[in-house]
Amino acid sequence: MKKLLTFLVVAFTMTATAQESALLRLNYASGDSYIMDLQLSQDMGTMMSMDMGMKMKQTITSVSGDTYESTMKIASIAMDMSQGGMNVSYDSSKSDDELDASGKMMQAQMAPMLQAVISMKGNNLGEVSETTVEPNVPGTADLAKQSSGVVYPKEAVRVGDTWTMSKSEKGMTMDFIYKVASITKEVVVLDVSGKVAGMAEGSITGKINVDRNSGVPSTSNVAMDMAAQGQKMSIKTTITMTKQ
């Protein structure tokens, strides 16, 4: 009898866990503040390689229904780049005296970006409808796009559920497939896969941990392995979001 009861309890627990669902939404509140830490690695063999680290501060300025508005500002940028036999290192935290000639050239390009304020408007599914940069510094909006993550489905999801999202950027179409790997009280884990087509072709792999309470992707690791005109390239991006 005890064995039967134990079996029934275990079976009930497994069934309840399997049927658990999560409604993924960005549950922002006005005044919320996050620090985004982005680490990007790009490798094109002997042509070019780059490692970049960037921190951005995001502040939610208003929330109305399922719509939010926010401002973002780049706090710091550091990069090491090698291209055509030339090496460039830059770190926004260093003074002019600590930078070499190439670093000073990068500083002249990056300094305006560090002063720019990026305003974004979106909804609680993660869809961004409007992005503006003041002052309008070229390249700043492209950096801001790195912060845009997964767009959630309208329906609640269970383990095993999948949905898709597409992005078009710089002559490439990226088709993402998200699959719910696990659901706990704290985290919803998503497996990421997909393909790249257009000017480059390849595959997408990765994993995203979504904080179940806030709906914010706390960690995101995505890799794209591609080839363009016979040249192989890989891009790996790691993003960590921390609430202040």
Side-chain angles (χ1 to χ4, degrees):
M1 186 64 178
K2 287 184 178 180
K3 290 184 178 180
L4 177 61
L5 288 173
T6 301
F7 172 80
L8 291 173
V9 170
V10 171
F12 175 79
T13 302
M14 292 177 65
T15 302
T17 302
Q19 292 179 345
E20 184 175 7
S21 64
L23 187 65
L24 298 175
R25 295 292 186 270
L26 291 171
N27 299 313
Y28 288 139
S30 182
D32 284 352
S33 180
Y34 291 86
I35 294 294
M36 183 192 78
D37 187 331
L38 181 147
Q39 301 294 321
L40 184 146
S41 177
Q42 183 173 333
D43 188 354
M44 296 179 64
T46 57
M47 288 184 61
M48 189 192 80
S49 63
M50 181 185 71
D51 291 313
M52 183 183 77
M54 179 175 69
K55 287 189 177 181
M56 300 181 73
K57 181 178 180 179
Q58 179 185 30
T59 301
I60 308 302
T61 55
S62 68
V63 177
S64 177
D66 62 358
T67 303
Y68 74 90
E69 294 185 15
S70 71
T71 58
M72 301 183 72
K73 197 169 187 302
I74 301 171
S76 63
I77 303 177
M79 67 173 65
D80 291 301
M81 182 171 63
S82 176
Q83 185 175 16
M86 183 177 71
N87 298 319
V88 178
S89 292
Y90 169 72
D91 188 335
S92 63
S93 67
K94 292 184 177 181
S95 64
D96 288 348
D97 295 337
E98 296 175 294
L99 296 172
D100 60 16
S102 61
K104 289 177 181 178
M105 289 179 61
M106 287 296 296
Q107 185 183 49
Q109 298 177 31
M110 294 295 184
M113 292 185 180
L114 292 165
Q115 299 302 317
V117 176
I118 306 155
S119 298
M120 300 178 70
K121 184 176 182 179
N123 63 23
N124 60 4
L125 293 176
E127 297 170 322
V128 177
S129 58
E130 186 178 322
T131 302
T132 58
V133 181
E134 183 63 39
N136 188 14
V137 181
T140 307
D142 290 335
L143 289 177
K145 288 179 182 178
Q146 300 291 337
S147 66
S148 60
V150 57
V151 174
Y152 298 137
K154 294 180 180 179
E155 304 81 11
V157 295
R158 293 180 171 83
V159 173
D161 284 352
T162 63
W163 72 94
T164 62
M165 181 184 76
S166 293
K167 286 183 180 181
S168 294
E169 190 175 303
K170 297 180 179 179
M172 295 186 298
T173 300
M174 292 160 279
D175 294 319
F176 294 86
I177 302 172
Y178 300 98
K179 182 176 181 179
V180 182
S182 63
I183 299 175
T184 69
K185 291 181 179 179
E186 294 81 21
V187 180
V188 178
V189 178
L190 308 177
D191 286 332
V192 184
S193 60
K195 63 180 182 178
V196 181
M199 292 185 65
E201 296 186 353
S203 61
I204 302 170
T205 57
K207 188 178 291 292
I208 297 175
N209 290 346
V210 180
D211 182 276
R212 193 169 175 180
N213 182 49
S214 67
V216 174
S218 54
T219 58
S220 172
N221 293 279
V222 177
M224 293 187 287
D225 293 298
M226 303 168 287
Q229 299 180 344
Q231 176 65 52
K232 291 184 178 182
M233 67 182 79
S234 66
I235 300 175
K236 297 179 180 179
T237 307
T238 299
I239 300 176
T240 304
M241 296 288 287
T242 306
K243 189 175 182 180
Q244 287 192 304

